[in-house]
Amino acid sequence: MSDPLEILLTNDDGIDSTGIRALHDALSEHANVTVVAPANDHSACGRSISHEVDVSDHELGYAVHGTPADCVVAGLAELGPFPDLVVAGCNKGANLGEYVLGRSGTISAAVEAAFFDVPAIATSMYVPAPGTSLREIDLSIDDYAEATRVTSYLVDHALEAGVFDHAAYLNINVPVADGAPAPFEVTRPSKRYEMDAERDGDRVHLKDRVWEQMDPETLPDPEGTDRRAVVEGRISVSPLTAPHSTNHHETLTALAETYLETVEH
């Protein structure tokens, strides 16, 4: 019988969040799980790194007084057994679209793992809450059943199936559980981007208007995108790569060739 998988589990909502507890309990039935997660909420912090952080023991594992990227580096290099897989989540709120890939702490934890050549899964849950802050919504362990089900399934099967031969990490977004399992769709990140800003005296309010367009009847995103899949009640799984690729082009090469002779005159 083969040894159980070693999993490093982290998030950006903080180690006391319901989402990480739900994943910990579910994944512990399949693997050895080491939790290294932020002591406090670090949502939308991207891949910010602290270089030096305090660490506290916690009933789930280790609480790091830093960012999700701090947690992955500390967990992989020092605090836990080197894992077969890093799992980040489950985030309360979806992480959908190209523009969130560098912004989300949940996804950034998976990207950090990719630089260590460790496969990773980032799991988030879409919570429809028009006009309401996610902070005001209380969710139970049961609400995360869809997230734990599909994450456990991929933990059990993705490595052996060779999924990570073609993807550095998987960005999973799920609807809130409502009983029967939702269908699973392989997607690509939406290109939708609707950021705006309004000045009010000495303050500027930044507004993400993408979330104002989540009505299934009028959703502008095409078939095959993560946003459309989740809004229509399907699980979205986007296989993604890191680091970002370079797109060489002859026009930039031509500028490079004339640089010195231009600036020297």
Side-chain angles (χ1 to χ4, degrees):
M1 185 174 178
S2 60
D3 293 333
L5 287 177
E6 291 286 349
I7 293 177
L8 175 68
L9 176 61
T10 191
N11 72 348
D12 74 355
D13 286 343
I15 198 166
D16 292 316
S17 69
T18 305
I20 198 169
R21 169 72 71 173
L23 274 185
H24 169 269
D25 293 352
L27 296 178
S28 293
E29 299 179 9
H30 304 252
N32 293 327
V33 179
T34 300
V35 174
V36 183
N40 308 107
D41 189 340
H42 275 75
S43 297
C45 69
R47 284 184 61 227
S48 296
I49 200 87
S50 304
H51 300 295
E52 184 174 306
V53 292
D54 292 329
V55 179
S56 307
D57 289 334
H58 187 278
E59 61 170 319
L60 291 184
Y62 300 98
V64 173
H65 296 264
T67 69
D70 294 333
C71 294
V72 172
V73 175
L76 293 179
E78 177 63 28
L79 294 177
F82 200 79
D84 300 294
L85 190 67
V86 168
V87 177
C90 178
N91 193 64
K92 184 168 79 169
N95 279 303
L96 301 167
E98 287 185 348
Y99 78 111
V100 306
L101 298 181
R103 181 182 295 174
S104 161
T106 304
I107 294 174
S108 293
V111 173
E112 200 70 38
F115 281 97
F116 279 86
D117 292 324
V118 178
I121 293 172
T123 304
S124 304
M125 185 167 70
Y126 171 52
V127 184
T132 304
S133 169
L134 284 176
R135 296 179 187 276
E136 300 174 13
I137 297 175
D138 291 326
L139 297 172
S140 69
I141 291 283
D142 291 342
D143 291 322
Y144 288 90
E146 195 75 78
T148 59
R149 185 162 44 226
V150 70
T151 305
S152 297
Y153 173 79
L154 287 168
V155 163
D156 283 346
H157 298 289
L159 285 168
E160 186 176 347
V163 168
F164 295 106
D165 294 342
H166 308 282
Y169 68 101
L170 303 178
N171 183 32
I172 302 174
N173 283 276
V174 304
V176 176
D178 67 352
F184 173 143
E185 181 179 345
V186 179
T187 60
R188 64 186 183 277
S190 169
K191 295 183 179 295
R192 201 81 192 158
Y193 184 74
E194 295 288 343
M195 290 297 298
D196 197 3
E198 291 182 2
R199 183 170 180 171
D200 180 10
D202 294 332
R203 300 180 68 84
V204 174
H205 301 277
L206 309 181
K207 297 185 177 182
D208 185 350
R209 298 195 181 279
V210 166
W211 298 100
E212 297 173 6
Q213 300 177 323
M214 299 297 279
D215 184 341
E217 299 298 322
T218 59
L219 191 75
D221 304 81
E223 294 291 336
T225 59
D226 51 4
R227 275 177 28 101
R228 177 163 289 278
V230 169
V231 169
E232 293 181 348
R234 299 183 295 279
I235 299 167
S236 165
V237 181
S238 297
L240 301 170
T241 59
H244 303 299
S245 60
T246 303
N247 185 18
H248 287 283
H249 195 274
E250 59 185 20
T251 55
L252 185 57
T253 301
L255 291 178
E257 292 171 350
T258 61
Y259 171 69
L260 286 180
E261 63 184 66
T262 299
V263 299
E264 288 175 350
H265 293 87

